[in-house]
């Protein structure tokens, strides 16, 4: 929707209906606000500049096609109620504007450094897939209980860093929680080894991931990852 820098939005009374092959495409360096209903079988692609923000507000968005954040930021203040797949690419970010904004069965894919930022809100989504390095789950400030479906059947070709976790060590169940499925089969051992908690205790260290002792699918920081110099 328009290449340009000025903030703006289409007329709020104008609903947008996407055919099955259509893509609503935004390319902004400023802020674009979409407050109207978005329906149909088409997709939404955000291809903003690094400073561009597409904000979904007011009316929930019920389109059933894919959601792709190619670049820039997609802020979901209104809910994305029917899109079954959300892909976040290198340098791009999906940010929640409130709790439970994403369709509960939506598969999340982080690609080559994509960021899923909960902004401190809780969320339930489908499976998680990782491609490439430097992917990020940012729990921000607040109380984020982030629930993924059992992802053990998904292909992970990379790693993900969890930022701003302030949960409870060992047992889990704290302020912030990241959960896969309902028990310790929600990830394979290889997937678990691909998750890192960055500075979770304010000591500047990065930790690997382990299952919380409650074995309810929650992961918590495990052992400190040694600095490369410590291995020489």
């Amino acid at each position: 929707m328009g290449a340009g820098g000025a903030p703006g939005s289409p007329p709020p009374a104008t609903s947008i209906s996407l055919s099955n092959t259509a893509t609503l495409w935004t390319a902004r360096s400023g802020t674009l606000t979409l407050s109207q209903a978005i329906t149909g079988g088409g997709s939404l692609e955000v291809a903003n500049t690094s400073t561009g923000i597409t904000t979904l507000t007011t009316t929930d968005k019920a389109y059933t096609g894919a959601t792709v954040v190619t670049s820039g930021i997609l802020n979901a203040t209104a809910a994305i109620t029917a899109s079954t797949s959300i892909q976040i690419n290198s340098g791009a970010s999906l940010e929640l504007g409130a709790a439970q904004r994403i369709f509960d069965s939506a598969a999340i894919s982080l690609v080559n450094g994509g960021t899923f930022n909960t902004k401190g809100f809780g969320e339930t989504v489908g499976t998680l897939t990782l491609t490439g390095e430097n992917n990020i789950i940012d729990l921000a400030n607040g109380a984020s209980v982030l629930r993924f479906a059992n992802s053990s059947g998904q292909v992970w070709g990379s790693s993900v860093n969890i930022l701003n976790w302030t949960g409870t060590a060992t047992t889990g169940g704290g302020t912030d929680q990241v959960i896969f499925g309902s028990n310790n089969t929600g990830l394979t051992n290889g997937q678990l080894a691909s998750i890192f908690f960055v500075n979770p205790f304010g000591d500047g260290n990065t930790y690997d991931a382990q299952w919380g002792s409650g074995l309810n699918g929650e992961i918590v920081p495990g052992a400190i990852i040694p600095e490369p110099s410590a291995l020489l």
Side-chain angles (χ1 to χ4, degrees), residues 112-205:
N112 296 327
T115 296
F116 182 15
N117 190 332
T118 67
K119 287 292 185 177
F121 296 110
E123 187 60 74
T124 300
V125 292
T127 57
L128 176 65
T129 300
L130 303 176
T131 303
E133 300 299 329
N134 302 313
N135 297 300
I136 293 172
I137 294 172
D138 189 346
L139 303 178
N141 296 319
S144 293
V145 177
L146 178 57
R147 297 180 181 273
F148 292 98
N150 184 312
S151 298
S152 60
Q154 304 305 304
V155 175
W156 284 20
S158 63
S159 61
V160 61
N161 295 322
I162 297 177
L163 309 183
N164 294 307
W165 181 89
T166 56
T168 301
T170 308
T171 61
T175 302
D176 289 328
Q177 300 174 38
V178 180
I179 299 168
F180 289 87
S182 58
N183 53 46
N184 63 343
T185 66
L187 296 170
T188 66
N189 290 336
Q191 289 172 326
L192 189 64
S194 299
I195 301 173
F196 302 96
F197 288 84
V198 177
N199 195 27
F201 305 118
D203 57 5
N205 290 309

Side-chain angles (χ1 to χ4, degrees), residues 1 9-20 22-26 32-46 54-67 74-84:
M1 216 174 238
S9 63
T14 304
S15 62
I16 299 172
S17 179
L18 302 172
S19 67
N20 290 348
T23 298
L24 175 61
W25 185 78
T26 74
L32 175 68
T33 300
L34 299 175
S35 61
Q36 54 278 101
I38 304 175
T39 60
S43 303
L44 170 66
E45 180 175 357
V46 174
T54 297
T55 299
L56 308 179
T57 66
T58 310
T59 305
D60 290 346
K61 315 308 175 188
Y63 62 93
T64 58
T67 302
L74 174 62
N75 177 281
T77 297
I80 302 172
T81 60
S83 179
T84 56

Side-chain angles (χ1 to χ4, degrees), residues 75-128:
N75 177 281
T77 297
I80 302 172
T81 60
S83 179
T84 56
S85 68
I86 298 178
Q87 178 175 312
I88 310 163
N89 291 343
S90 175
S93 180
L94 169 65
E95 299 180 350
L96 301 181
Q100 304 302 332
R101 298 294 86 188
I102 307 300
F103 181 44
D104 284 359
S105 298
I108 305 296
S109 179
L110 300 179
V111 179
N112 296 327
T115 296
F116 182 15
N117 190 332
T118 67
K119 287 292 185 177
F121 296 110
E123 187 60 74
T124 300
V125 292
T127 57
L128 176 65

